Amino acid sequence: MLVLFSKCMILEALFTGAAIFCVEAVRTFASEFVTEVVYRWKNSRTKAKPDAQQNSFNVKTAQATVQDLETIDAEIVELERKARRDGSSSRADQDRQQELEQQRAEKFKQYEAAKSEEILSEQAENAENYIASVLSSDRVHVLQYHMGQVVLEKKCSACQRPMILQSRQRLDGSLYRLEDFFWSCTGYFNPAHLQCRGTQPFRKQDSAFLHKTNVLELTVSNADLSSIFESRSVQNAVVERVKSHVKEKDQEIMCSIHHVPMTLRERREHSGAALDMFFLGCPHPGCQQTVKLKSAAQLAAYLQRKEGRGIL
Ligand SMILES: [Zn+2]
Ligand SMILES: [Zn+2]
């Protein structure tokens, strides 16, 4: 279904390969939706930040920025290691660490800007590859498919940090509903003095989700995807494929604290169920940040990122 949204079209959140728009009214079918909405948004941003646009030719790509973030983190890890070994750290090392933390924060802002720009340009230039659908409980796998990413353009109202999309867990195996989802501040995981527990309810009404048309898992309903995934043979094949990537980096999923790509891990003790086996963890020593791969849609998205093919 492709729909045209009239009146105000506000970008609510931006993911790699997807975006959520708040719309005042949903009207007729039209294919110009994506181009129009993306250009409108880009224009509004160019007006808001003329300097940033002028300098855009020497702005690094998101991927180059990720490498810089990894280099910064590696030096911090080294300083932390040294402090543990020596039992204390010198004044010079403390200053350097503070400087690096500052650089990391700056660099992450650059990453967010570069990534937003890349995603929106991609969406605008390849509008025919995108489809917009109205969110409903039968489409929650569309949300799950994009979970784990630091959500661009979605800021915590309390502290302005970026947010992530979370859902409560349905341990009884029942189907997820839109009500299960919410936005959580990435500052939630910071040490106590820097912590922010900001959350926002997921906007149910007037939300449209824009995503790629070529994702097979998103062309079926949430219920259908779940029942396909109940098949043992499907699960076994998925587990085998995912397992082959253990310890690899996932460029799209970054630690909320250290801003470096997370790596795939297999749980030491699990029930043997595909949805209970894998998670992404931060490579920074001692970091407890994880993103569980706890839905068929998330496993599909993971495999799509890694192999260019999902689970269907
Ligand atoms: Zn916050
Ligand atoms: Zn971390």
Side-chain angles (χ1 to χ4, degrees), residues 42-264:
K42 282 184 88 170
N43 279 343
S44 70
R45 209 168 65 143
T46 314
K47 274 183 210 130
K49 296 180 195 163
D51 294 347
Q53 290 296 320
Q54 262 170 18
N55 294 333
S56 66
F57 59 89
N58 54 23
V59 164
K60 284 192 172 184
T61 62
Q63 207 190 334
T65 323
V66 171
Q67 281 163 7
D68 292 346
L69 283 162
E70 288 182 294
T71 308
I72 292 169
D73 193 60
E75 194 180 337
I76 294 176
V77 167
E78 215 31 69
L79 287 171
E80 286 174 351
R81 213 170 262 154
K82 195 173 157 209
R84 264 198 307 277
R85 199 183 50 219
D86 302 346
S88 66
S89 63
S90 67
R91 186 61 207 257
D93 282 354
Q94 284 175 28
D95 289 349
R96 178 64 185 151
Q97 178 145 359
Q98 220 168 13
E99 195 183 337
L100 288 165
E101 302 277 2
Q102 189 78 36
Q103 280 178 21
R104 166 151 66 200
E106 282 301 312
K107 197 52 84 174
F108 186 64
K109 275 188 196 145
Q110 286 173 25
Y111 166 80
E112 284 187 280
K115 191 80 180 167
S116 297
E117 189 70 39
E118 280 174 22
I119 295 170
L120 286 165
S121 299
E122 211 282 326
Q123 290 175 356
E125 282 157 27
N126 303 293
E128 70 282 6
N129 298 338
Y130 286 84
I131 191 165
S133 47
V134 177
L135 278 173
S136 64
S137 281
D138 204 34
R139 307 281 308 155
V140 292
H141 57 312
V142 182
L143 291 175
Q144 287 171 333
Y145 195 88
H146 297 92
M147 265 170 80
Q149 300 179 26
V150 169
V151 183
L152 300 158
E153 306 299 329
K154 179 78 189 167
K155 299 284 186 223
C156 171
S157 49
C159 72
Q160 293 305 305
R161 286 195 188 93
M163 303 194 92
I164 46 173
L165 184 62
Q166 299 270 49
S167 78
R168 70 183 191 95
Q169 208 157 355
R170 285 195 177 252
L171 296 168
D172 60 355
S174 59
L175 287 176
Y176 280 83
R177 301 188 55 77
L178 269 187
E179 299 82 88
D180 297 329
F181 293 83
F182 60 95
W183 303 104
S184 166
C185 179
T186 46
Y188 186 88
F189 307 104
N190 281 29
H193 66 291
L194 293 170
Q195 196 187 39
C196 171
R197 288 172 170 266
T199 58
Q200 282 176 34
F202 189 79
R203 216 180 132 97
K204 275 176 285 186
Q205 261 136 35
D206 303 331
S207 281
F209 205 95
L210 177 77
H211 62 82
K212 286 195 168 159
T213 44
N214 65 356
V215 180
L216 289 178
E217 289 81 2
L218 305 185
T219 60
V220 299
S221 71
N222 183 39
D224 286 347
L225 183 62
S226 295
S227 67
I228 293 167
F229 199 69
E230 270 164 26
S231 145
R232 257 288 140 208
S233 61
V234 171
Q235 282 200 30
N236 289 345
V238 167
V239 165
E240 198 175 316
R241 286 170 63 204
V242 175
K243 213 175 241 189
S244 72
H245 298 289
V246 167
K247 292 190 180 151
E248 286 178 19
K249 278 194 265 187
D250 185 337
Q251 292 288 346
E252 294 299 336
I253 311 291
M254 313 261 281
C255 171
S256 300
I257 298 172
H258 300 103
H259 303 326
V260 289
M262 292 179 128
T263 50
L264 182 71

